[in-house]
Amino acid sequence: MHTSSRHRLTAAVALSTLVAVTGSACSSGSGSASAGGADSGTYTVWDPYPQFDKASAWAKLLDACGAKSGVKIKRTAFDTSDLSGKALLAAQQDNSADVLVVDNPAVSTLAEAGVLTTTDENKLDTSAVDANLLAAGQSGGKTYGTPIGANTLALYYNKDVLKKAGVDISSVTDWTSLTAALDKVRKTGKKGITFSAIGTEEGSFQFLPWFWGAGAKLTDLDSDEAAAALSLWQDWTKKGYAPNSVLNNTQTTSWQEFASGDYAFAENGTWQLTNAEKAGFDYGVLPIPASGGGSAPAPTGGEFVTIPAQGDTGRYATSQKLVSCLTSTENLHATDTTLSYVAPTGEVRDRQLAAHAELKPWVDAVKAAKGRTSDDLGTKYPRISEQLWKAVQSALSGAQSPEDALAKAQSAVK
């Protein structure tokens, strides 16, 4: 999720961790799309931001892009967990929204169901978007929409805890040096690292940087590389470098542990930056290291702006204008500030960094990030992810060895 304390991070714009946003959706219009023709003066937009009301910068941007395109905008906001189902149902009734802003892992599911148009059909220009971020919205060689922004995971660290343990953060460059730092911290009586290993998508989301950082692939869950990543987490819990609570931790409860001031490190997302400013201790941010050094690919969060298929294809031209307006360089900068995202284009990221140099670790993490449905996994991802988080749970609880847990996971996927 996001970027800087100035960026008004809201935990509700949940990183595409598929974490359901709580609370009821609020709306500035009804849920039905306009039934008018291509020249209809009202275009509908559905988004997963119920926390933003009519007076918000986001709602005002939608209205401004509508005015620029010569139409009125009827916006409906849904909880992230509800939006995909609503979009599928609307498509079956030929009542889709004109513009749909949706969590990136849902794009391939909606595309496979025939809900979305391709960029070839709708003429959206995605040439400025980073390839690793655009990949989350690609399936079968086709692109469905464009990212509105990105967020991902990194390691927050407590400067005081590390200083007292004699750890120089610049020495933490790979798994070996990170584990050595955790050992030093534990010997001072403080705690090492906290993360979320819960048996949900959040657990998979948090494990993926280590999984990918070992060189493992989601199509081969029982590889030696995958076992190395799971063994790392298991060893940390066995040695007390990470608490047993990680088995039940969400990203929120994991953050609360770090905020206590007792931990050296916490794996969490951009969306915690406002909370980090309030924590009451000096903190830093480090991209998650890969096994042998460098930044590990962390999973991308953030939404795609898409154009659903319509019975009246004449509507696409105006929808394309709306999306192009929302994702223009000028508006993208404002939008990513509003939504607390790292921009998906280099030009806008440069502007973000010029204003907030402290975003650099997050920019580096996003540049190394990878979509969960990339590698053309598409709708296979949810099943793979479920088996992955089950394997993590099994290994960390001591029920199975990492190798046995991952072999069982791979077998279940097949």
Side-chain angles (χ1 to χ4, degrees):
M1 221 159 165
H2 320 349
T3 57
S4 125
S5 60
R6 281 133 294 278
H7 285 152
R8 301 291 169 257
L9 308 184
T10 56
V13 184
L15 196 153
S16 290
T17 54
L18 302 188
V19 182
V21 180
T22 57
S24 59
C26 64
S27 162
S28 56
S30 73
S32 62
S34 168
D39 60 350
S40 168
T42 300
Y43 274 64
T44 56
V45 177
W46 289 6
D47 68 49
Y49 311 131
Q51 71 275 26
F52 296 135
D53 62 17
K54 289 181 184 179
S56 66
W58 169 249
K60 288 176 179 176
L61 177 60
L62 290 175
D63 288 340
C65 284
K68 184 178 179 183
S69 303
V71 296
K72 289 184 178 179
I73 297 298
K74 186 160 91 172
R75 173 194 174 223
T76 309
F78 296 94
D79 286 349
T80 297
S81 55
D82 292 338
L83 189 52
S84 295
K86 292 284 198 306
L88 285 164
L89 183 61
Q92 291 166 8
Q93 298 168 346
D94 192 19
N95 199 27
S96 291
D98 291 294
V99 175
L100 178 66
V101 186
V102 67
D103 205 12
N104 77 67
V107 173
S108 55
T109 299
L110 294 173
E112 192 167 296
V115 175
L116 305 177
T117 59
T118 68
T119 50
D120 285 340
E121 292 168 322
N122 60 42
K123 311 303 181 195
L124 271 179
D125 180 7
T126 59
S127 58
V129 178
D130 287 12
N132 67 313
L133 301 180
L134 193 62
Q138 293 174 324
S139 181
K142 295 177 179 177
T143 304
Y144 299 86
T146 188
I148 201 164
N151 53 50
T152 194
L153 296 165
L155 294 180
Y156 287 85
Y157 59 89
N158 185 318
K159 292 183 178 180
D160 293 337
V161 170
L162 290 179
K163 185 177 180 182
K164 287 172 183 172
V167 175
D168 177 359
I169 193 64
S170 67
S171 71
V172 179
T173 57
D174 56 17
W175 290 4
T176 301
S177 52
L178 175 57
T179 301
L182 299 179
D183 185 58
K184 283 186 177 180
V185 167
R186 188 158 187 273
K187 285 173 179 172
T188 67
K190 289 290 189 179
K191 299 173 182 177
I193 186 168
T194 178
F195 47 86
S196 168
I198 194 170
T200 69
E201 176 62 23
E202 280 188 87
S204 291
F205 189 79
Q206 290 239 319
F207 183 59
L208 279 174
W210 312 96
F211 182 87
W212 284 333
K217 296 180 180 178
L218 287 170
T219 50
D220 190 11
L221 295 180
D222 57 352
S223 67
D224 291 344
E225 293 83 0
L230 190 47
S231 295
L232 179 76
W233 270 21
Q234 187 189 63
D235 288 347
W236 285 352
T237 54
K238 277 184 176 178
K239 292 176 180 175
Y241 299 158
N244 289 327
S245 56
V246 297
L247 277 164
N248 298 309
N249 269 347
T250 64
Q251 293 183 111
T252 299
T253 56
S254 170
W255 178 263
Q256 289 164 351
E257 289 179 336
F258 180 66
S260 71
D262 289 334
Y263 285 83
F265 294 94
E267 179 183 356
N268 226 298
T270 337
W271 56 96
Q272 298 291 7
L273 273 161
T274 293
N275 290 328
E277 296 285 350
K278 298 174 184 173
F281 52 80
D282 283 340
Y283 74 93
V285 178
L286 179 75
I288 295 169
S291 173
S295 295
T300 55
E303 288 78 37
F304 265 63
V305 192
T306 66
I307 298 176
Q310 303 287 346
D312 178 3
T313 58
R315 297 183 70 81
Y316 297 155
T318 297
S319 297
Q320 188 266 358
K321 286 180 186 176
L322 291 171
V323 177
S324 296
C325 176
L326 291 171
T327 57
S328 67
T329 296
E330 194 61 41
N331 288 334
L332 203 53
H333 186 263
T335 300
D336 286 339
T337 299
T338 298
L339 300 179
S340 306
Y341 283 138
V342 173
T345 68
E347 184 178 357
V348 181
R349 276 200 305 273
D350 288 346
R351 290 180 60 181
Q352 290 180 312
L353 278 174
H356 302 292
E358 69 274 18
L359 295 184
K360 188 171 190 311
W362 293 107
V363 167
D364 291 345
V366 164
K367 284 164 78 171
K370 179 172 177 164
R372 281 162 279 173
T373 58
S374 298
D375 298 331
D376 226 17
L377 287 179
T379 54
K380 298 173 191 167
Y381 173 75
R383 181 170 176 79
I384 293 170
S385 174
E386 182 181 359
Q387 297 308 319
L388 188 61
W389 82 57
K390 285 180 176 178
V392 169
Q393 286 265 305
S394 184
L396 297 196
S397 68
Q400 287 183 293
S401 69
E403 291 78 8
D404 288 348
L406 289 165
K408 183 179 177 182
Q410 182 63 24
S411 177
V413 169
K414 284 181 178 176

